[in-house]
Amino acid sequence: PDMTGPALCRELRALPFGADLPILIQAEGPDRVAALRAGGSALVDPDGDELTLLARIRGLLRHEGEMAAPADGLAEQSAEFLHDSRPRATFIANQPATALGWRHALQELVSFRIMVSEPERALADAAAGRAPDLYLIAADIQQQGDGLRLLSELRSRRYSREAGFVVVLRPERADMTPVALDLGAGDVLPWDLASARIAPEAAIRLDAQLARKHVADRRRHETQRNMRWAMTDPLTGLYNRRFAF
């Protein structure tokens, strides 16, 4: 009772180990944006259920594990980055007008460029190595759950599996939040994310997912570089005895 959630979060972030510490903050109303700006990793609703809470914890732990784990397959080339001044996000909704509405509400609030796509086009772009940095996907596109299936498919593709993923749920489908998080979504947003009340919070949460993706990319590339240095001769570039073993 002697400190608010955002204030405590700022204090934790200032500690030597605080930068990488996953922090969930229980907040509602205007305190939600303050909690995110203070560095909260995710928000917990005061009236939320235990399944969603546990799914969020599993998602954060999975994210930390993916950033720390070595990338397998040194001979496999990492996805190429498109030369653009800003990162890219792809929005996929039940119809283009919905995704365009989300883009219109958020494009001035976020740090990335937003494109609107359809599921087939998103999969084709991913197969061709043109995956964006972030996907925002409606859980239900043409049928119930097909957005979640699209999420799983993109998470399995070589060029799109390292992207950030956020799922959008309708109010009556809120019970699917744990499923979306366990399938690999970094966050779940409400369907009315374009409203004046939700858009500022949604923009912060999307930027946070993008920032985590970039941190994971940097750590993964450092791991790959260190493994190459450990397994190759610095003069000839040939694999060494350690690589043979």
Side-chain angles (χ1 to χ4, degrees):
D2 61 325
M3 187 177 291
T4 65
L8 177 57
C9 183
R10 282 190 291 270
E11 293 292 334
L12 289 171
R13 289 289 182 220
L15 295 174
F17 60 84
D20 298 327
L21 181 67
I23 301 175
L24 292 109
I25 303 181
Q26 187 182 83
E28 57 183 340
D31 292 337
R32 294 171 65 87
V33 173
L36 292 169
R37 287 177 175 165
S41 304
L43 297 175
V44 179
D45 295 323
D47 56 350
D49 61 277
E50 181 179 340
L51 290 177
T52 300
L53 173 62
L54 293 175
R56 286 202 176 276
I57 293 173
R58 287 193 296 270
L60 288 171
L61 293 176
R62 180 181 63 245
H63 174 74
E64 291 298 308
E66 289 173 351
M67 290 199 301
D72 51 14
L74 280 178
E76 178 179 311
Q77 295 296 319
S78 59
E80 296 181 0
F81 290 97
L82 295 179
H83 298 287
D84 192 274
S85 58
R86 293 184 298 166
R88 295 185 307 129
T90 293
F91 285 10
I92 306 169
N94 59 325
Q95 52 187 355
T98 303
L100 287 170
W102 293 344
R103 183 177 71 176
H104 178 74
L106 295 173
Q107 61 186 354
E108 300 300 327
L109 302 176
V110 296
S111 60
F112 49 83
R113 184 162 57 97
I114 300 172
M115 297 178 298
V116 172
S117 183
E118 297 179 347
E120 294 77 10
R121 176 63 182 273
L123 289 170
D125 286 345
R130 297 190 297 268
D133 300 277
L134 179 70
Y135 288 96
L136 181 73
I137 304 174
D140 305 320
I141 303 175
Q142 295 178 350
Q143 301 175 3
Q144 278 199 350
D146 55 356
L148 298 180
R149 289 188 287 273
L150 175 63
L151 162 66
S152 297
E153 181 67 21
L154 290 169
R155 286 266 299 169
S156 69
R157 297 291 181 93
R158 171 185 173 188
Y159 291 113
S160 55
R161 63 189 177 196
E162 309 297 353
F165 291 90
V166 176
V167 168
V168 184
L169 285 172
R170 294 183 182 273
E172 64 272 17
R173 298 276 284 163
D175 60 326
M176 297 299 293
T177 297
V179 177
L181 294 170
D182 283 337
L183 286 174
D187 204 350
V188 176
L189 292 177
W191 192 266
D192 60 343
L193 62 89
S195 67
R197 181 177 61 88
I198 301 295
E201 176 188 326
I204 295 175
R205 291 166 69 172
L206 289 170
D207 272 332
Q209 291 301 315
L210 188 62
R212 290 174 195 165
K213 180 255 193 290
H214 288 164
V215 170
D217 285 346
R218 186 173 67 250
R219 292 184 180 180
R220 185 167 49 255
H221 294 160
E222 289 174 354
T223 299
Q224 291 175 328
R225 180 192 62 194
N226 292 338
M227 291 178 67
R228 279 196 297 272
W229 287 352
M231 295 184 178
T232 56
D233 176 73
L235 179 63
T236 64
L238 299 175
Y239 287 118
N240 58 21
R241 182 171 176 267
R242 185 180 291 111
F243 174 80
F245 278 105

